[in-house]
Amino acid sequence: MKQPFPFTAIVGQEAMKQALVLTAIDPGIGGVLVFGDRGTGKSTAVRALAALLPAIEVIEGCPVNSARAEDVPDWAGLGVLRKVRRPTPVIDLPLGATEDRVVGALDIERALTRGEKAFQPGLLARANRGYLYIDEVNLLEDHIVDLLLDVAQSGENLVEREGLSIRHAARFVLVGSGNPEEGELRPQLLDRFGLSVEVRSPQDVATRVEVMRRRDAYDTGFDAFMDAWRKKDASLQKKILAARRKLPLLATPDAALKDCAALCIALGSDGLRGELTLLRAARALAALDGATAVDRRHLKAVAPMALSHRLRRDPLEEAGSSSRVARIVAEVLP
């Protein structure tokens, strides 16, 4: 299988790449929503980041990628348990996926051939400890959205049907992409994404030429191209791993907490999820920068991606939500 396009070789789209890196440092941030034009590297970036991350340690054959023997579900039916290393999973959730395919269902083959009630795990099981990617997330059917909301809240998938009652871990970074012209996202799901970024097609010739040049090199001279970018990807991987280790040691001054609260009040964001996500994203950025504490610089840098999708709509506001956040950040956090 061909290795994904290198993450550091993606031209431009800095906000999208930064948001993905922050969730790699702290998956608890809650995922990334990427809205914008088609063909701007959204799915490429997700697969590239997952390939850049170190392999995860799993119990061989475990359908939910458990790291410890005691976490392997009873229904998995494994014999001898041994650990192996596997790439970080990236699972696509297609728009037409049935509920059974997403959450899992009765294994019909075993039921017919052996007369046994056995569980066939779904996409949520495969995505555990990895990424669940949904293209055109704004077109997702409502009942699938409801399922994702439940799982995102609990970190577990519960399946009760055909006499089965199955529960398994389902913790993943949810990445959704879409074109806002094709429909809006339900507010309940929109709020579940930790970060939101907008991507646009580059409007200058030089950037477009560089995109074509790198993609052509990847397609026609794969080995040489991958060798040329391997060191940069490895360097970013080291920074992410170092940030993960540093994250629990970071100090969070009261001034940073007050800044989070003041900014969200000024923006009129509903609930408290906004400032909690803002703080987590700022901490992840501070860890990536090698800082010892969160400060105003980190908050200002991540505020647009953490808060722009949480604002109440203002029909008199001509600028986009990101511009509105940037303007209020400048006023509240000079």
Side-chain angles (χ1 to χ4, degrees):
M1 185 176 178
K2 195 173 184 180
Q3 187 174 347
F5 195 86
F7 188 80
T8 53
I10 296 173
V11 179
Q13 310 298 8
E14 298 303 325
M16 175 177 66
K17 291 191 290 187
Q18 184 181 65
L20 290 171
V21 167
L22 295 181
T23 60
I25 294 170
D26 181 7
I29 287 173
V32 182
L33 178 64
V34 185
F35 258 180
D37 302 333
R38 294 189 186 91
T40 47
K42 298 185 288 289
S43 62
T44 297
V46 176
R47 287 169 176 76
L49 179 67
L52 175 146
L53 297 175
I56 60 174
E57 195 171 71
V58 303
I59 301 298
E60 186 176 27
C62 178
V64 296
N65 306 314
S66 296
R68 304 181 303 171
E70 54 266 35
D71 295 332
V72 176
D74 295 338
W75 49 264
L78 301 183
V80 178
L81 303 181
R82 68 187 187 95
K83 292 185 177 181
V84 295
R85 298 189 70 80
R86 296 279 170 78
T88 299
V90 179
I91 305 301
D92 289 289
L93 196 161
L95 288 180
T98 64
E99 183 175 332
D100 285 353
R101 186 179 177 192
V102 175
V103 303
L106 179 69
D107 189 331
I108 300 298
E109 182 179 353
R110 289 180 63 178
L112 293 176
T113 58
R114 306 182 195 176
E116 300 174 351
K117 285 187 177 181
F119 180 63
Q120 179 66 46
L123 298 177
L124 297 182
R126 293 170 54 197
N128 189 41
R129 301 180 64 204
Y131 290 81
L132 183 67
Y133 177 68
I134 311 171
D135 194 15
E136 306 295 349
V137 64
N138 46 324
L139 303 181
L140 203 61
E141 295 183 21
D142 285 349
H143 70 283
I144 301 296
V145 170
D146 292 334
L147 288 172
L148 290 176
L149 288 173
D150 290 341
V151 175
Q153 175 70 28
S154 65
E156 285 188 325
N157 179 36
L158 175 62
V159 184
E160 293 182 322
R161 60 183 62 184
E162 289 95 17
L164 292 173
S165 181
I166 300 294
R167 188 188 301 270
H168 67 76
R171 297 187 180 277
F172 44 78
V173 176
L174 183 63
V175 180
S177 64
N179 188 333
E181 296 178 357
E182 296 178 350
E184 297 182 354
L185 198 63
R186 280 178 56 182
Q188 297 94 327
L189 185 58
L190 183 65
D191 191 50
R192 291 296 175 182
F193 285 94
L195 306 177
S196 173
V197 296
E198 298 177 7
V199 293
R200 293 288 180 264
S201 302
Q203 297 302 310
D204 61 290
V205 172
T207 300
R208 286 177 176 256
V209 167
E210 187 60 24
V211 170
M212 291 187 289
R213 181 181 291 117
R214 293 187 190 182
R215 183 68 206 195
D216 182 63
Y218 174 77
D219 291 333
T220 61
F222 177 78
D223 292 336
F225 182 77
M226 297 302 292
D227 286 342
W229 289 95
R230 188 166 286 117
K231 286 186 178 179
K232 288 188 177 181
D233 263 13
S235 176
L236 179 56
Q237 183 195 85
K238 289 181 180 178
K239 289 186 66 176
I240 291 173
L241 295 179
R244 286 179 178 178
R245 293 190 295 268
K246 192 174 186 63
L247 192 60
L249 308 176
L250 273 174
T252 306
D254 285 346
L257 302 179
K258 292 177 181 178
D259 282 345
C260 287
L263 183 56
C264 289
I265 290 172
L267 286 166
S269 59
D270 293 327
L272 297 175
R273 189 172 282 121
E275 44 258 73
L276 294 174
T277 303
L278 173 62
L279 182 61
R280 292 193 80 139
R283 284 177 56 82
L285 180 60
L288 184 66
D289 289 346
T292 57
V294 179
D295 60 36
R296 185 168 284 185
R297 293 171 303 158
H298 305 122
L299 293 172
K300 293 169 71 173
V302 301
M305 64 180 70
L307 300 175
S308 62
H309 58 302
R310 306 180 193 279
L311 304 186
R312 298 173 186 168
R313 292 197 172 186
D314 184 352
L316 302 179
E317 181 75 52
E318 294 184 0
S321 55
S322 296
S323 300
R324 182 178 163 198
V325 171
R327 174 172 56 80
I328 295 181
V329 164
E331 296 173 357
V332 177
L333 307 180

